[in-house]
Amino acid sequence: MLDSLIVGFDKALRTLCAASTTTRGVPGAECAEPALSAQDKSHSGALMRINHVGEVCAQALYQGQALTCHDPEIRRALEQAADEETEHLAWTEQRIAELGARKSMLNPLWYLGALTMGAVAGKLGDAVSLGFLAETERQVEAHLDHHLSELSVQDVKSRAIVKQMKLDEMAHAVTAVRLGARDLPANIKTGMRLVAGVMTRAAYYI
């Protein structure tokens, strides 16, 4: 447990303080930087900041679930998904910089909240934990769909990143179901959407 806590603390510092890296090519990297209006550029930057917050939360969520997971196979699947989310973290971080925007100043708060939720979900059992993961990924997929409708059609670089992130999140949800995810009650799903809504609105500006 002590080793896990040390590793977890290291991951938290890397997520919040260090530049993220990716082994996969950044989607849209081959595209030229689009000529966006000041308004579209600012809007894209804010949306990518929201997506970056989502990836910070994903790192914390998976870490919390892995800490309290009972099944080694499920723990490995969580760790693999976390590695893919690290790539999303790098992609969104790079795009934020390209757009001249900044990361959310509330990232430590988001991380702590998601870590706590992940640990609690894991304590409730692997089926519930996987159900929480699957529902989170479905809601993230819907959220990314909304961002695709909000992003300027000219912002091909941001759109390429969001599209690939959406495909990866769909795959994570499928994996969770395959491993035995339990469908969550409707009121829990509604509560998750409400919390995500608060986070999204705050992260757009802060």
Side-chain angles (χ1 to χ4, degrees):
M1 178 59 73
L2 180 59
D3 287 346
S4 296
L5 290 174
I6 292 172
V7 170
F9 184 68
D10 179 68
K11 286 183 178 179
L13 288 178
R14 289 176 184 276
T15 299
L16 295 171
C17 303
S20 302
T21 58
T22 176
T23 57
R24 297 159 67 188
V26 180
E30 73 284 357
C31 301
E33 185 64 42
L36 301 173
S37 67
Q39 181 178 358
D40 283 343
K41 188 174 183 180
S42 175
H43 188 50
S44 288
L47 293 179
M48 295 309 287
R49 177 164 55 249
I50 292 171
N51 289 330
H52 183 268
V53 166
E55 299 310 323
V56 167
C57 290
Q59 286 296 308
L61 180 66
Y62 285 126
Q63 182 186 339
Q65 289 177 298
L67 281 173
T68 53
C69 180
H70 305 288
D71 188 314
E73 181 186 0
I74 294 175
R75 186 180 296 110
R76 284 193 295 271
L78 290 169
E79 290 169 348
Q80 180 179 346
D83 288 342
E84 292 180 2
E85 300 289 1
T86 301
E87 296 182 324
H88 297 174
L89 197 67
W91 299 348
T92 52
E93 188 174 296
Q94 177 177 316
R95 188 61 188 142
I96 285 171
E98 291 170 350
L99 290 164
R102 54 167 176 75
K103 295 182 286 186
S104 174
M105 294 183 289
L106 300 177
N107 275 343
L109 178 63
W110 306 136
Y111 192 97
L112 180 60
L115 180 68
T116 302
M117 287 192 291
V120 170
K123 277 291 187 182
L124 294 175
D126 291 340
V128 173
S129 181
L130 288 169
F132 186 77
L133 189 156
E135 181 59 26
T136 297
E137 299 293 20
R138 293 187 191 108
Q139 292 191 17
V140 170
E141 180 190 345
H143 146 89
L144 293 174
D145 258 337
H146 176 67
H147 278 199
L148 286 172
S149 71
E150 288 277 315
L151 285 165
S152 167
V153 293
Q154 294 178 307
D155 191 358
V156 290
K157 293 176 76 70
S158 296
R159 295 180 67 84
I161 290 172
V162 172
K163 286 178 181 178
Q164 185 57 55
M165 286 170 59
K166 178 185 171 183
L167 292 175
D168 291 344
E169 307 299 0
M170 291 169 62
H172 295 164
V174 169
T175 298
V177 172
R178 176 179 59 80
L179 291 172
R182 179 184 300 171
D183 192 35
L184 299 181
N187 61 328
I188 298 296
K189 295 179 182 179
T190 300
M192 291 170 65
R193 280 191 289 270
L194 290 174
V195 171
V198 171
M199 183 194 75
T200 297
R201 285 190 290 272
Y204 187 90
Y205 299 102
I206 305 174

